[in-house]
Amino acid sequence: QSALTQPASVSGSPGQSITISCTGTSSDVAAYDYVSWYQHHPGKAPKLIIFDVSKRPSGVSDRVSGYKSADTAFLTISGLQADDEADYYCNSYTVSSTSPYVLGPGTKVTVL
Amino acid sequence: EVQLVQSGAEVKKSGESLRISCQGSGFRFNKYWIGWARQSPGKGLEWMGIIHDSDIRYKSSFQGHVTISADSSTSTSYLQWTSVKPSDTAMYYCARKEWYGELQYAFDLWGQGTMVTVSS
């Protein structure tokens, strides 16, 4: 069981915007600004698209943005395109004596 | 080219031992942590553990079931089982994150994945 929760699926039409939530706890999302997001096309390597809540790595489209409020982080994709159809995972640093990172269960984005 | 290259697909019988690998190239391996994640069929990604030099952190549910190791001389990390089970059937990914720096808390490079199939 993930300590983070995400909606199982989100859909939108081309050109629209979608937002995916990632709700954590006082031990992870609420405590640290170390949330990252990954895009995963099945059969391919996951790709980092947001780090430290809202920063974009070099080469990632500015259609992608992130923010956080209290214990919930959000990923927004604007101007939805066919290639945005993928699974999206949030990841947070967490206070833990063992594994220091926790992944969300993933959200399937469908472009209608 | 900066990359993580994982070993090929494995097909095993229940009870057999297994080791899969993740080799880095194009970057200083000892400046990064390597994490291992599992994706079981139809499921999401799940961290198994992370390693930097001799510092290894396991997710509690994987502690004692797998061993993560690394060889800095060959820039390679390993994930191994002494006795695989059908429930270990999954795609396994490695990923790196900076030991210190701007990307200290995110995994910016992932391997292509290794599919492990275990039959009973």
Side-chain angles (χ1 to χ4, degrees):
Chain A
Q1 288 282 37
S2 297
L4 307 180
T5 59
Q6 298 180 235
S9 63
V10 171
S11 61
S13 299
Q16 287 187 330
S17 294
I18 60 159
T19 297
I20 303 168
S21 61
C22 170
T23 300
T25 70
S26 58
S27 297
D28 38 66
V29 176
Y32 305 99
D33 288 335
Y34 299 139
V35 176
S36 50
W37 290 89
Y38 302 84
Q39 177 191 58
H40 189 204
H41 288 106
K44 294 192 172 183
K47 175 185 176 184
L48 174 68
I49 57 174
I50 290 287
F51 68 100
D52 294 356
V53 175
S54 60
K55 299 176 182 177
R56 274 189 308 274
S58 174
V60 172
S61 171
D62 60 4
R63 297 187 297 107
V64 175
S65 61
Y67 63 100
K68 189 184 88 167
S69 177
D71 64 353
T72 301
F74 300 89
L75 174 73
T76 297
I77 304 174
S78 59
L80 207 58
Q81 299 177 358
D83 191 51
D84 296 327
E85 185 161 299
D87 297 316
Y88 291 82
Y89 295 88
C90 61
N91 181 67
S92 177
Y93 183 77
T94 179
V95 56
S96 169
S97 60
T98 55
S99 178
Y101 292 91
V102 59
L103 277 159
T107 296
K108 170 68 177 176
V109 169
T110 301
V111 180
L112 301 171
Chain B
E1 182 183 0
V2 176
Q3 58 184 350
L4 290 169
V5 178
Q6 297 186 230
S7 51
E10 299 276 1
V11 179
K12 291 289 185 180
K13 289 184 170 25
S14 186
E16 292 183 332
S17 63
L18 172 64
R19 188 178 77 167
I20 62 175
S21 66
C22 167
Q23 185 171 38
S25 62
F27 64 95
R28 291 185 65 177
F29 193 76
N30 62 0
K31 294 293 188 184
Y32 291 83
W33 288 79
I34 297 295
W36 284 92
R38 179 179 77 176
Q39 185 173 33
S40 300
K43 304 291 186 181
L45 294 168
E46 179 183 21
W47 288 119
M48 302 174 71
I50 187 170
I51 183 170
H52 177 259
D53 283 345
S54 58
D55 191 353
I56 311 171
R57 320 272 180 91
Y58 292 97
K59 184 178 178 181
S60 55
S61 54
F62 290 97
Q63 180 90 45
H65 296 285
V66 297
T67 300
I68 294 171
S69 61
D71 181 350
S72 59
S73 69
T74 60
S75 300
T76 303
S77 179
Y78 300 96
L79 177 65
Q80 64 184 65
W81 296 256
T82 55
S83 177
V84 294
K85 300 176 287 187
S87 58
D88 294 319
T89 294
M91 180 73 86
Y92 293 87
Y93 293 97
C94 63
R96 74 169 194 183
K97 74 165 198 75
E98 287 185 328
W99 175 72
Y100 181 80
E102 185 181 36
L103 286 163
Q104 187 178 350
Y105 297 98
F107 295 83
D108 71 325
L109 181 68
W110 293 67
Q112 82 279 17
T114 295
M115 184 66 209
V116 172
T117 303
V118 182
S119 64
S120 55

